[in-house]
Amino acid sequence: MLTSFHSRAQAEFHPAPSIEPPEEAKLTVSSSLPASAGGIGSFVGEDEGLKDPHFDRAFLKAAGFEGKAGHRQ
């Protein structure tokens, strides 16, 4: 049985795509920043020395990050 364009379009339409499960994330740990990285994470304490070579305290402070418990940016 042939279906109309309209019925095929309705079958493919999702009114709330945000409630679908997200795509699978791939997490890796590395000592260097891969060119393919879509994002990075670094643990930073309020009073600890910063051990991430990509950021310093001045950069984080300018971005509004203070390193307090529960703070994330």
Side-chain angles (χ1 to χ4, degrees), residues 7-59:
S7 64
R8 285 192 312 272
Q10 279 186 317
E12 295 172 5
F13 177 73
H14 194 308
S18 62
I19 62 173
E20 290 184 356
E23 293 182 25
E24 188 174 305
K26 179 181 176 186
L27 300 175
T28 59
V29 176
S30 176
S31 60
S32 61
L33 184 59
S36 62
I40 61 170
S42 183
F43 295 102
V44 179
E46 189 173 0
D47 296 323
E48 297 175 14
L50 190 59
K51 297 177 181 153
D52 191 317
H54 303 98
F55 305 107
D56 60 15
R57 288 273 174 197
F59 176 86

